[in-house]
Amino acid sequence: MAGVNKVILVGNLGKDPEVRHLEGGTAVASFSIATTEVYKDKTGTRQEQTEWHNIVVWRGLAEVAEKYLKKGMTIYLEGKLRTRSWDDKEGHKRNSTEVVGDTFTILSKKDSPSSGNAEQTDISGPKTGDDLPF
């Protein structure tokens, strides 16, 4: 049976995307998104819990992210979870789980991140399967 690996996030960018280009010219952008859950605890006190999600987008989508995404903007993002492993400088095994974005929609203008008048821009990456270079 095939599995499903699908992530949907709506949140705010914690910083501008950082874009780098690999040896072959492939663009990769990294940024973080904060999602906040608001609830009332047993005493009725309002609580907030914020989670930070590390996002990676590739190729054309990375270039679009670099051009249009700015810190504080609200976006809708779809992607999948990936875990990377590597050895650090001291030889210890490290793991990192991130969301590899397939598509995102900008829900706010860059000059007014919390604006109630959301401007939507749909941006999708190519559906090329799992040909990521890591």
Side-chain angles (χ1 to χ4, degrees):
M1 173 181 212
V4 176
N5 183 354
K6 179 84 169 178
V7 175
I8 297 174
L9 298 170
V10 176
N12 298 318
L13 270 73
K15 60 181 178 177
D16 291 352
E18 294 178 8
V19 179
R20 59 190 172 92
H21 292 84
L22 304 180
E23 288 181 20
T26 302
V28 58
S30 302
F31 54 94
S32 58
I33 294 178
T35 56
T36 301
E37 177 184 1
V38 179
Y39 62 94
K40 289 187 179 179
D41 63 16
K42 294 178 182 179
T43 65
T45 305
R46 183 178 187 268
Q47 300 289 328
E48 287 188 11
Q49 182 174 348
T50 300
E51 289 287 332
W52 286 94
H53 311 275
N54 295 320
I55 312 297
V56 176
V57 293
W58 292 88
R59 299 177 181 78
L61 197 56
E63 293 168 4
V64 171
E66 179 179 36
K67 184 174 180 180
Y68 294 106
L69 296 183
K70 301 293 176 201
K71 177 181 178 178
M73 293 178 84
T74 303
I75 67 168
Y76 169 95
L77 179 124
E78 291 184 17
K80 55 188 157 272
L81 288 177
R82 286 283 159 90
T83 301
R84 295 184 296 124
S85 298
W86 72 95
D87 294 327
D88 66 14
K89 293 177 183 177
E90 291 81 37
H92 298 102
K93 189 81 160 173
R94 300 289 183 191
N95 293 310
S96 175
T97 300
E98 56 202 11
V99 177
V100 178
D102 294 323
T103 182
F104 60 80
T105 301
I106 299 169
L107 300 178
S108 66
K109 297 180 183 181
K110 71 178 180 181
D111 57 347
S112 57
S114 59
S115 170
N117 300 327
E119 176 181 288
Q120 293 191 357
T121 306
D122 292 323
I123 303 168
S124 298
K127 303 296 183 199
T128 58
D130 293 328
D131 60 347
L132 301 178
F134 61 81

